[in-house]
Amino acid sequence: MQNTGDATLLDVQLFGRPRLCFGGEEFAFRAPPRALSLLAYLLLHGGKPLARDALASTFWPDVTDAQARTKLRSHLHYLISDALPQQGIPWILADKRTVRWNPAAPVRVDVLEFERLAGDGATMQQAANLYAGDLLDGFDDEWIEPERERLRERQAAVLWNAIEQNRRDGAHAQAILYAQRLLEIDPWREDALRALMQLRAQAGDRAAALQAYRDFAARMSRELGIEPMPETIALYDAVMSGAEPSSAGVARRVPGSHNLPSYITSFVNRADELAALHSLVKERRLVTLTGAGGFGKTRLAIETARSLVGAFANGVWVVELAPLTENALIMRTVASALGLEARPDDELLRQMRDLHALFVFDNCEHLDGVAQTVETILRQCPTVHVLATSREALHVTGERRHRVPSLPIPAAEHREVLPSIEELRRTPSVQLFLDRAADVAPTFEPHRASEEELRALVTIAQQLDGIPLAIELAAARMGALDLPALARRLDERLAVLATRRSAAMPRHQTLRATIDWSYDALAPIDQRIFARMSVFADGWTLAAAWGVCSDFDMDRWQIQDRLSSLVDKSLIVTDRTDGDIRYRMLETLRAYALERLQRSGETGTACRMHAQYYASYSREHVGRRLQGGGWFAELKTEAANLRGAMKWCIDEGNDAALGASIAEAFAWFAYDPMLFEEAAHRCENALAAFGPNPPAEYEAVLQLGRSRCYTYLAHAQPALIAAERATALLRALDDRARLTYALGYLAEALWQLGRADESAEVAEEACALARDNPHALGAALTGKARTTHDLEKKREVLREALQAYRTAGSESGVCHLLLHLGECAFEGGDAAGALDYARQCIALTRDDIDWQRHLVALMRGNAAAYALALGEIETARSFARASLDLAKRMNDRRRIAFGLQHLAGVSMEGGDVRRAAQLLGASDAHLGPHSAPRLYTERSGYEKAMEKLRAALGETELQVLLAEGRRWSTERAVEAAMEV
């Protein structure tokens, strides 16, 4: 195709403003602008035959198929007859089905030449010089943007290699020019800025290096409201101080953790796209994968994130937004994904400030608050990167969009000239079909396929346009149909749907037709069940499915059979956790099922049965909780369904009583500050739904829920009001089980308000009332222990509470009592006993369980303090490092502060008092001026350490070193502490 020696050569420049030359002279292109875009599209596809229908839908996606084909014919006429110079052979070959550039026509295309040169290290710099601007500058056809982005990224990689090569060769002036060019095409790329600063400094021009940083930082502050990365700031500081710039600002990174899901199905080859996204996400702080439902955005995002787990010090975290219906829950979901102790949004953002992490925001399109949340995170957390999936771009400053294409399909001529099965397998759409077909038709052997079967396979792949979800749905039919029959049915079905929906965009039409076909093939009862399952916000169990379909006159096992059938047809997927099966729908299919449910007129019935199921579920679990049963993890899984059921009860179902039952459960289920805030809000909404005079039994449980939440949040006054009202109502109702807890919360609120005598009196009543309920007794005794300052009496009450929790089988209660007993023993001077309690607690907990994670970090830190007091330095070092590592992974600044303090103690015992002082300064900075004060365990160790440091260093040097530590970033402080 490239032929530079022919006098009749057509020379096409597509970088920057398009320019065409023939025989060495530029000529005017006399055709509509889109004809030039069409010419470029044909040239960039290297002479490959392109289906007319696909071309038409690519260039005119917003008109009917017939109108698109007419426009294509018109623009091809311009290209073939008028726009290009005439010569002996045609430039373009076209027939009724395909169009392509004539491979024999002499042409030179700068983009294709760039691609060829960029692939060879010896010619990369020639490639860089060919790039004269963005592809087809000034044109905005939809196909151009992803190709423009790809080429821009390719040029960025070429320029980076050119920088490195010239730096190695000592050609600093040339390397500087390439760094400047890289910043021109990617102005937010900080590694290019750092390279430019290093090169200028090494060339002796420190002033220019510093000015490059100042200009960049000012623009970043003005346009994004953030500051450069810590390593960039460190490099600036190094240049300012005259330090060697080649190694400055390079932070040591360690692999982080993640919450990425595991898939049992294969990820069909998108290797090139995955590699490009891997690089793009590392360099850009916001990348959004866009495209229609069913194109595989989520799977591509997850696999991209998986490839980056080791690249982010604080891990890679999926923030699943599909189940959410309220913007207020977005930041809570971020906190939950990170395992952070939930707090108000501004406090969470402060906690996340120093994170070097990747967030995957999945399914963004239905919440209008996502864009603002992402923008706020990027502004306030300068080393956080975001990879988002959405049907549309987020339109956030600095966003790089990547449109997810469908999978490549066999070439059009493959229906006539059949390739081998090995060749077809190399086509991703065919590979996906065969992989999924093998799951339902294990006896099908592709390597023995007949010519008829191969032809059918090609037809199926082409008909489905490479849409992953459509391919999976079609492959699921292989259990009932062979390949030729499947191809015939699919061909007929798509033809009918194309006639029926001629105004729809072809690929959307193909996906819709495939889902319709799968749905229409279901038995009527399966159609009803499929539609009913759409009411679940975030998956469901067999029991929940049965509850929502209980009017179908089917037992649980019949429902299970029908669900299994839907799984076989790929309309439902399953997840298995700890041996239990949980069902869910892909979001595209759930949207379709909701539409079918609405058409059936059963939406109200389904929503009511969903709410009734979760009200019953809630009552059962509240009953278990009142008796001490543990169920945090189970209810957390159902949080989205509980929210959805409550919302329906109050907003649409006009059933405050159902909503109240669910709200009470939500309040009992809360175990972190953010959930406490939400649960209190849900209880208040449910109370408001009853109007001014709520029934006593419902007001009682909702006030109890409020009192629990506000007590744990230490909002003493609202907790007191709610607890007093709940206590009065529960006395009148003679609800002894709930009254015990209400009295406990009342005692706690009184104690928080400084009314110790009243608190002790109420706590005694709670203990007396709870004698026949071990779990409630444990809670009451724990509250009672708080009301005394007599350490011996406190220990006695706590031991009794521990025994009650052990009798109740409450793992959470036992763990927290061991924590309290350890602190009590240490305060009484028994460090050995305290360490024993801490070890018992640590043995019962795991750092991969949500509600236990912060307790584990706390207990490891306490154990370090106890070991220090005993002079067991290696034990203290081990516990302190483990605590700090976990706190860093959770980004829990308070636990980080304590970990730094304990390792400061270890450093001091090892003789390095200067490092100890710096670490104590860093510890102070991480607590901050508005944090709760250190409790006895940390306070006593801190005061002893400061006393020793003053004696060793003197006040002046101590203050200098403390100030140095306060200026350290989290990354630097943790790294220094871990080296102790």
Side-chain angles (χ1 to χ4, degrees), residues 500-520:
R500 198 183 301 166
R501 299 189 180 87
S502 59
M505 288 192 292
R507 285 187 173 167
H508 291 184
Q509 176 180 306
T510 298
L511 178 59
R512 176 65 186 225
T514 310
I515 300 174
D516 276 343
W517 185 41
S518 296
Y519 176 83
D520 291 344

Side-chain angles (χ1 to χ4, degrees), residues 569-689:
K569 295 174 176 63
S570 294
L571 291 167
I572 286 174
V573 294
T574 58
D575 299 314
R576 187 178 293 272
T577 306
D578 296 329
D580 295 327
I581 293 178
R582 191 169 179 83
Y583 303 89
R584 61 182 173 86
M585 283 183 185
L586 300 179
E587 279 308 297
T588 301
L589 291 172
R590 182 171 179 246
Y592 178 93
L594 273 169
E595 181 185 318
R596 286 288 182 176
L597 183 65
Q598 288 161 358
R599 283 195 211 173
S600 72
E602 292 190 344
T603 303
T605 300
C607 288
R608 176 164 294 282
M609 296 182 76
H610 177 267
Q612 287 171 337
Y613 171 78
Y614 280 104
S616 173
Y617 174 94
S618 298
R619 285 189 289 268
E620 175 193 345
H621 283 76
V622 168
R624 284 171 55 192
R625 175 62 173 165
L626 291 170
Q627 296 304 316
W631 43 288
F632 287 122
E634 183 181 345
L635 264 182
K636 184 176 182 184
T637 304
E638 294 291 2
N641 282 314
L642 291 168
R643 289 186 184 111
M646 275 187 282
K647 191 172 188 303
W648 181 85
C649 289
I650 293 168
D651 294 349
E652 299 175 45
N654 194 28
D655 197 330
L658 269 183
S661 297
I662 303 169
E664 183 194 15
F666 211 82
W668 280 108
F669 138 60
Y671 62 93
D672 68 40
M674 191 166 289
L675 287 171
F676 287 134
E677 290 276 11
E678 180 183 351
H681 175 67
R682 302 285 179 190
C683 289
E684 284 156 7
N685 279 354
L687 273 172

Side-chain angles (χ1 to χ4, degrees), residues 266 268 420-442 444-447 449 453-454 456-458 460-461 471-472 474-476 478 483:
S266 59
V268 169
S420 67
I421 188 65
E422 288 74 21
E423 291 176 279
L424 283 176
R425 269 192 181 280
R426 290 195 286 272
T427 304
S429 57
V430 176
Q431 181 187 342
L432 176 61
F433 179 88
L434 293 175
D435 282 358
R436 300 302 185 263
D439 295 335
V440 296
F444 172 60
E445 298 178 322
H447 62 281
E453 289 174 320
L454 286 178
L457 186 57
V458 170
I460 291 166
I471 292 168
E472 296 200 19
M478 282 289 288
L483 272 174

Side-chain angles (χ1 to χ4, degrees), residues 465-488:
D465 281 329
I467 302 170
L469 178 56
I471 292 168
E472 296 200 19
L473 290 172
R477 306 296 300 279
M478 282 289 288
L481 299 170
D482 62 18
L483 272 174
L486 181 60
R488 284 193 301 274

